[in-house]
């Protein structure tokens, strides 16, 4: 069993170390978060542990892979093109900028890049909730060319999060209008609510709307918006502090449904 290779990889948002034969076949993987080594053959345990020795810290459980849950089976059945879970924060903007980067020199920064910065910052914060039983999906496509910037699913419910680049600007929120600096006010909250309503229809579950502002100097909200939360990028993780309303099995089932692109085809 000489020549085993250890190859790091990320699958479904989790970091794993795969142990491979010289011909590329996997015979085991090490899940650091679960502190578990999953073996595809018990007769190879000693060789696998020897290969993983430099990477293992602390005690680990060793055994065959756990039996997948119904939600995991649904996820595994997805065609890769229909699985939204691998989407990065700002995925749609990344693709658009790759295809049409715009002029190399321009007087003003490309607004798409500012929007991308906002989505990546907020998305990274939401991804940080993964270990607490929450799942974040990014750039969820909707018919008509629209999309939900971030969909957060966890014990405290479901949230459709729309991000807005507001760095070094004063923001005023007067439902449904949002004013950014000296720009003309526009009814952004209508879109935020519409996205949440479409998500509720697709998932047959309540999805609450959230507006997340990146780096504003001040935020003025004269009256609380109707059934909508306004947060800054430094506060979005507070969504995880909401009281538990969903059981773990419900969270996993909703996540499996939401990550399937076909779920969103008719909303």
């Amino acid at each position: 069993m000489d020549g085993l290779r250890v190859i790091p990889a990320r699958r479904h948002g989790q970091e794993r170390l795969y142990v491979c034969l010289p011909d590329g076949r996997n015979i085991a993987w090490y899940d650091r978060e679960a502190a578990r080594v999953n073996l595809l053959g018990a007769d190879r345990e000693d060789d696998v542990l020897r290969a993983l020795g430099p990477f293992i810290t602390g005690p680990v459980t060793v055994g065959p892979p756990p039996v997948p849950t119904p939600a995991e089976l649904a996820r595994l059945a997805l065609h890769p093109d229909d699985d939204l879970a691998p989407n990065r924060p700002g995925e749609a903007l990344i693709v658009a900028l790759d295809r049409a980067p715009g002029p190399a020199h321009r007087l003003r920064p490309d607004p798409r890049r500012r929007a991308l910065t906002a989505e990546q910052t907020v998305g990274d914060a939401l991804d940080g909730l993964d270990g607490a039983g929450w799942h974040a999906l990014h750039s969820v496509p909707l018919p008509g060319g629209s999309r939900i910037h971030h969909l957060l699913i966890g014990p405290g419910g479901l949230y459709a999060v729309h991000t807005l680049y507001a760095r070094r600007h004063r923001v005023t929120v007067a439902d449904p209008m949002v004013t950014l600096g000296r720009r003309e006010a526009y009814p952004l909250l209508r879109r935020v609510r519409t996205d949440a309503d479409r998500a509720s229809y697709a998932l047959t579950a309540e999805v609450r709307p959230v507006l997340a502002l990146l780096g504003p100097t001040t935020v003025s909200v004269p009256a609380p918006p109707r059934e909508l939360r306004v947060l800054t990028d430094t506060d979005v993780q507070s969504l995880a502090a909401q009281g538990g309303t969903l059981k773990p099995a419900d969270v996993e089932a909703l996540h499996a449904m939401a990550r399937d692109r076909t779920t969103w085809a008719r909303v």
Side-chain angles (χ1 to χ4, degrees):
M1 196 61 63
D2 293 333
L4 293 184
R5 294 183 299 157
V6 177
I7 301 176
R10 291 188 66 86
R11 293 192 64 184
H12 311 300
Q14 296 180 330
E15 182 180 0
R16 290 177 174 178
L17 293 174
Y18 285 88
V19 181
C20 304
L21 294 170
D23 62 6
R25 287 181 295 145
N26 297 325
I27 60 171
W29 70 87
Y30 171 38
D31 185 337
R32 278 189 169 133
E33 184 176 340
R36 179 180 177 86
V37 176
N38 297 282
L39 297 169
L40 298 182
D43 58 321
R44 299 165 175 170
E45 179 175 343
D46 291 342
D47 298 298
V48 166
L49 292 178
R50 190 178 303 111
L52 287 172
F55 306 96
I56 294 178
T57 56
V60 295
T61 302
V62 181
V67 176
T69 64
E72 289 172 329
L73 289 173
R75 179 196 70 204
L76 293 171
L78 276 180
H79 188 282
D81 290 342
D82 290 330
D83 191 357
L84 300 176
N87 279 9
R88 299 160 291 180
E91 182 75 30
L93 289 170
I94 294 171
V95 172
L97 286 165
D98 285 343
R99 291 176 177 172
H105 303 285
R106 52 189 301 164
L107 295 177
R108 295 182 179 179
D110 189 328
R112 295 177 300 173
R113 297 194 179 278
R114 290 185 172 182
L116 176 59
T117 298
E119 290 192 39
Q120 288 177 329
T121 302
V122 171
D124 288 345
L126 296 176
D127 282 340
L129 300 175
D130 185 68
W134 292 78
H135 300 289
L137 297 172
H138 310 290
S139 284
V140 177
L142 301 174
S146 185
R147 62 190 174 88
I148 298 172
H149 292 177
H150 314 282
L151 182 67
L152 184 65
I153 304 171
L158 295 84
Y159 298 91
V161 183
H162 185 96
T163 65
L164 178 65
Y165 184 94
R167 189 161 284 162
R168 295 191 295 274
H169 287 294
R170 173 186 173 87
V171 178
T172 302
V173 179
D175 196 0
M177 311 301 285
V178 174
T179 307
L180 188 64
R182 298 181 180 179
R183 301 177 191 174
E184 185 176 352
Y186 62 109
L188 178 60
L189 299 193
R190 289 178 184 168
R191 177 188 169 180
V192 180
R193 288 195 179 98
T194 296
D195 289 348
D197 288 343
R198 295 175 77 177
S200 296
Y201 179 81
L203 301 173
T204 61
E206 181 185 11
V207 179
R208 286 169 277 187
V210 177
L211 176 63
L213 306 169
L214 174 64
T217 54
T218 59
V219 180
S220 175
V221 186
R226 174 179 54 85
E227 299 177 351
L228 183 148
R229 299 187 65 178
V230 179
L231 302 171
T232 65
D233 59 288
T234 58
D235 296 330
V236 292
Q237 289 191 333
S238 67
L239 294 172
Q242 303 305 303
T245 60
L246 295 177
K247 298 178 181 178
D250 295 330
V251 172
E252 295 303 320
L254 285 165
H255 180 234
M257 184 186 302
R259 67 188 294 168
D260 186 348
R261 186 183 299 272
T262 62
T263 297
W264 307 95
R266 297 181 181 179
V267 298

